[in-house]
Amino acid sequence: MSRIHNPRSSFTGDGTLGMETSITRRDFLGTALLASGSALFAGMTPSELLAAQENDFTGYGGVGEYSNANGNTWDVLQAGHAIRDRLYDPLPAGIIDTGEIYDCVIIGGGISGLAGALFFQREAGPGMKCLILENHPIFGGEAKQNEFLVEGKQLLAHQGSAIYQVQYPHSFLAHFYKSIGLQAPRLTYQKWTGSDPEFPLSNTPYEAVGLLHGQYGFWFGARFNQRPGMWLMDPLGKSLHGAPVSDATRLEWLRWLKGESATSTKFEHPKVEGDATSRYLDSITLEQHYMERFGLSRETVRSFLSPVEGGGSGLGPDALSAYSDYAFEMLHPLPEENGGSDQMFPGGNATIARLMMKSLIPGAIDGPHSVEGVCRNRVNFSALDIAGTPARIRLSSTVVHVEHDGEASKASSVSIVYSKKGKLYRVKARSALMAGGCWTTKHIVKDLPETLRVAYGQFYRSPCMMVNVAVRNWRFLYKMGMSGCRWFEGLGNYMEVRKLALTGVEDATIGPDSPVVLSLKVLYSYPGAPTEEQGNRGRGDMLGTSFRDYERQVREQFTEMFASGGFDARRDIAGIILNRWGHAYLSPQPGFFFGRDGQPAPREILRRAPHGRIAFANTDLAGAMDHRYSILEAKRAVGQLLDQVLS
């Protein structure tokens, strides 16, 4: 990991920015002093230095049961890097054998792992037992939430996984949703309140509803020789007139914003996975596809579409297979004209993870088995890992070693070693499901065949940081005439005021004086560099910057952009949480989905059959980061174990 940068030695303006306000972070080890320079670290003991790094890296985690699980915290990061750096090769002496034997051990307690446990529980038959080993302090993977307490009100925001779609009512996914208690997939959202004229608001952070109605702004700063920066309000309505770009760029960009093709031939979307259109798209980059379809120059793509377009796979269009932009369509949700639309719980898909956990272990969350019940009630952690129960989940347990007990084709069991609170433990299983990401799986499955190892070598992951900023109100945005905005330099690229679904939310209404959480999705793209290199560079940047440096960036950026609307960082910001995900996205390069040069696609090599008693799940095997693919991959993998291993 890159070493954590020390903040600048001079904090001009920190008082104005509100850097010392207590609500924004815990007062651990005198954080203000830790930020004053490296001299303080010189006199620390190793344990004190570790604590200082942890606190200035992880930062404030909010309130509630997710407060110590905001993204990859320092503890999670260190455990992961110990695997990467082969600290457990070979395994040390003194491993504690728990004496436990399970029919299936599932590595990873995100959506894929929880779904795998549910499918195993439902299909394996009575008496069969499974254990989930999860490295974070709470289940859900990237489907977790942040909780703030602002002016006595609870505010929720997503850490990562956010959106779900309404599916056709008789589809497999619709039936699965119902089976976990999601009976009404179309949610009801907050209504406008107050005497101010209503602004159209999005239901998710990604809709930009205001762009179509004139309540939206584009910010142009120093990158466009604007000092101070300038706003272009209602950019679509004004056809980008006034933007500091050339006329040629303006016309190209406008064509993109309006979705207008550059040719008279209408683009035909893929119909099914693997058709001729799919395969052509997978043979080129998304950048090339945008240039062909919309007549854009490479400069326009890299200046205005990267990394936002392609952000569903973590990087800019130059690094991705063009098919990555259409893979989600192959899940065939209910079309918008038939009543389908993007839906979002206040804390994103944390609610779906909670419904799954409640289905798996009924006592895991107090209260009724319903959306309202899992949103309003707390996790009963003591119920998650009870001896003798059919399904268990063991948290803060990082799996470091998975290996068959003998030759894979003949072995009757698999040994799994995990680290918890500084000690190593061993459990045995008749089968194992690898439901974590490819970046750990390829390291911890010790007898992985070379063909699978080579396939995993073609899985490139990129980071993402979700910055959730709680503000006491968004009146400053309303005064400026916008409910959302976009910018092209600095931290993140866009943000949106959103209405919350009424699933345990305290306020049924929203207006400019309502406290809200503004989410900044920070992606790290370096146009022109290879896909793998971009991911590595992004991780270095994200992990090598302290919480305090990021906090200052947020405060400075908001001040520069929104001071004209009356924004005051000290007064208006109530809290900032960073959710750093080092391997958030599978970033599929051309050929990832359907192969190239006559070679099979790397994902198919891993999907086609178990390795001995070990099967592979996780959404990265689909090539698209979507919780629905997590569920479907788990379904496939559990079926393989039941049919080919445990039958």
Side-chain angles (χ1 to χ4, degrees):
M1 190 194 90
S2 303
R3 66 186 294 260
I4 293 177
H5 301 320
N6 288 320
R8 296 184 294 266
S9 60
S10 175
F11 295 144
T12 303
D14 276 10
T16 302
L17 293 173
M19 287 292 292
E20 307 308 324
T21 52
S22 61
I23 194 171
T24 57
R25 55 191 176 275
R26 302 183 186 98
D27 186 21
F28 29 52
L29 296 181
T31 304
L33 291 176
L34 290 176
S36 64
S38 59
L40 180 61
F41 292 114
M44 287 185 171
T45 66
S47 61
E48 289 173 333
L49 179 60
L50 182 62
Q53 289 176 309
E54 174 183 354
N55 293 327
D56 205 32
F57 176 85
T58 302
Y60 177 60
V63 301
E65 55 201 12
Y66 294 88
S67 61
N68 64 341
N70 51 308
N72 296 143
T73 61
W74 181 261
D75 286 344
V76 170
L77 185 74
Q78 292 299 97
H81 285 183
I83 295 170
R84 179 201 64 187
D85 297 337
R86 301 185 180 278
L87 265 62
Y88 304 104
D89 294 340
L91 285 170
I95 297 173
I96 301 168
D97 197 322
T98 69
E100 298 168 296
I101 301 177
Y102 294 90
D103 296 291
C104 185
V105 169
I106 298 171
I107 291 85
I111 295 288
S112 198
L114 294 173
L118 274 172
F119 292 133
F120 189 84
Q121 185 182 68
R122 292 170 178 176
E123 299 175 20
M128 302 285 269
K129 295 181 179 180
C130 72
L131 169 69
I132 302 172
L133 294 170
E134 164 59 28
N135 63 328
H136 288 80
I138 191 169
F139 55 86
E142 290 182 33
K144 294 204 284 285
Q145 64 191 30
N146 294 145
E147 301 176 24
F148 296 88
L149 192 63
V150 180
E151 310 295 347
K153 296 181 179 180
Q154 183 194 42
L155 300 180
L156 301 179
H158 62 303
Q159 290 194 23
S161 180
I163 308 298
Y164 76 92
Q165 284 79 26
V166 179
Q167 300 295 134
Y168 280 96
H170 298 288
S171 66
F172 170 79
L173 285 167
H175 284 297
F176 180 81
Y177 283 155
K178 288 181 180 178
S179 78
I180 62 172
L182 183 52
Q183 301 294 332
R186 293 184 186 85
L187 303 177
T188 302
Y189 296 85
Q190 293 171 317
K191 301 295 184 184
W192 187 266
T193 188
S195 58
D196 297 293
E198 183 174 354
F199 271 14
L201 299 180
S202 300
N203 294 337
T204 79
Y206 309 119
E207 291 177 62
V209 165
L211 184 61
L212 301 177
H213 296 273
Q215 282 84 31
Y216 205 85
F218 283 177
W219 169 261
F220 299 93
R223 179 183 175 190
F224 298 88
N225 296 314
Q226 302 300 306
R227 299 180 178 86
M230 61 158 282
W231 282 103
L232 176 63
M233 305 305 298
D234 188 16
L236 199 55
K238 294 177 180 175
S239 298
L240 291 174
H241 286 294
V245 298
S246 69
D247 285 342
T249 298
R250 183 181 66 81
L251 292 174
E252 281 187 25
W253 190 11
L254 190 62
R255 185 163 57 243
W256 161 263
L257 290 171
K258 292 182 176 181
E260 297 174 349
S261 176
T263 67
S264 58
T265 304
K266 182 180 178 181
F267 172 70
E268 293 292 338
H269 288 234
K271 298 296 189 299
V272 295
E273 185 173 281
D275 63 14
T277 302
S278 301
R279 292 179 180 277
Y280 171 69
L281 289 169
D282 190 41
S283 72
I284 62 174
T285 66
L286 187 56
E287 179 176 80
Q288 182 179 338
H289 172 56
Y290 286 161
M291 293 168 67
E292 291 176 359
R293 181 178 174 186
F294 298 102
L296 306 179
S297 67
R298 180 169 280 107
E299 181 181 0
T300 295
V301 173
R302 296 185 179 185
S303 296
F304 300 106
L305 275 61
S306 184
V308 176
E309 303 303 331
S313 295
L315 297 177
D318 68 293
L320 303 171
S321 162
Y323 183 69
S324 66
D325 213 29
Y326 301 93
F328 304 94
E329 296 179 6
M330 299 304 100
L331 291 164
H332 302 293
L334 194 65
E336 193 166 340
E337 58 268 23
N338 293 341
S341 63
D342 284 354
Q343 303 288 295
M344 182 174 172
F345 294 106
N349 288 332
T351 298
I352 291 178
R354 294 171 77 87
L355 285 168
M356 294 169 75
M357 179 54 71
K358 179 76 170 174
S359 301
L360 185 66
I361 304 174
I365 300 176
D366 297 328
H369 190 164
S370 65
V371 168
E372 188 87 1
V374 301
C375 287
R376 287 193 177 276
N377 293 291
R378 293 296 181 181
V379 173
N380 181 8
F381 287 95
S382 63
L384 300 184
D385 192 7
I386 298 177
T389 54
R392 303 166 68 174
I393 180 166
R394 196 161 293 164
L395 301 173
S396 298
S397 300
T398 302
V399 174
V400 301
H401 188 105
V402 178
E403 190 171 13
H404 289 91
D405 295 319
E407 187 179 337
S409 62
K410 300 176 181 179
S412 60
S413 63
V414 178
S415 286
I416 296 105
V417 177
Y418 65 92
S419 172
K420 186 177 178 71
K421 295 182 178 179
K423 296 181 179 180
L424 293 179
Y425 299 85
R426 180 185 287 110
V427 300
K428 287 186 178 290
R430 294 176 61 217
S431 67
L433 175 62
M434 306 303 299
C438 57
W439 67 97
T440 53
T441 298
K442 66 183 181 182
H443 287 297
I444 63 178
V445 180
K446 297 303 177 180
D447 56 0
L448 197 67
E450 185 63 18
T451 54
L452 301 189
R453 197 172 298 281
V454 170
Y456 263 137
Q458 299 173 67
F459 284 63
Y460 303 134
R461 302 289 299 218
S462 56
C464 172
M465 183 169 66
M466 190 65 66
V467 181
N468 284 320
V469 184
V471 293
R472 292 185 168 84
N473 61 75
W474 57 282
R475 172 70 60 180
F476 61 94
L477 289 172
Y478 188 85
K479 285 181 179 178
M480 298 174 71
M482 58 187 175
S483 59
C485 56
R486 217 196 132 188
W487 56 95
F488 310 95
E489 57 196 282
L491 195 67
N493 299 94
Y494 57 91
M495 70 180 191
E496 193 84 12
V497 178
R498 65 182 176 103
K499 297 178 289 185
L500 300 183
L502 300 179
T503 53
V505 173
E506 296 177 0
D507 291 329
T509 59
I510 185 172
D513 295 315
S514 302
V516 297
V517 179
L518 301 172
S519 298
L520 280 64
K521 183 178 181 179
V522 183
L523 301 173
Y524 301 81
S525 68
Y526 309 85
T531 306
E532 183 177 20
E533 180 184 332
Q534 290 196 39
N536 291 336
R537 286 176 61 183
R539 271 185 293 280
D541 287 350
M542 184 185 73
L543 301 180
T545 304
S546 70
F547 174 85
R548 188 174 176 86
D549 265 357
Y550 273 131
E551 179 184 12
R552 182 179 293 102
Q553 287 184 51
V554 171
R555 291 176 177 274
E556 289 178 342
Q557 187 166 305
F558 273 37
T559 297
E560 182 181 11
M561 292 196 301
F562 306 126
S564 61
F567 173 80
D568 183 316
R570 170 177 285 277
R571 178 195 64 210
D572 294 331
I573 292 180
I576 298 173
I577 300 177
L578 305 183
N579 303 285
R580 311 185 202 221
W581 300 105
H583 302 267
Y585 288 100
L586 187 280
S587 300
Q589 70 280 12
F592 177 86
F593 292 95
F594 307 112
R596 63 191 315 173
D597 301 326
Q599 298 300 310
R603 61 178 187 154
E604 292 305 330
I605 294 173
L606 290 149
R607 285 165 131 185
R608 61 192 176 192
H611 158 51
R613 292 180 171 269
I614 302 170
F616 304 91
N618 194 275
T619 185
D620 52 20
L621 293 179
M625 302 293 97
D626 189 292
H627 79 280
R628 294 169 295 173
Y629 277 125
S630 297
I631 294 165
L632 293 171
E633 291 297 324
K635 173 71 172 173
R636 171 196 50 76
V638 168
Q640 289 175 334
L641 291 177
L642 294 176
D643 287 341
Q644 303 175 42
V645 177
L646 297 175
S647 60

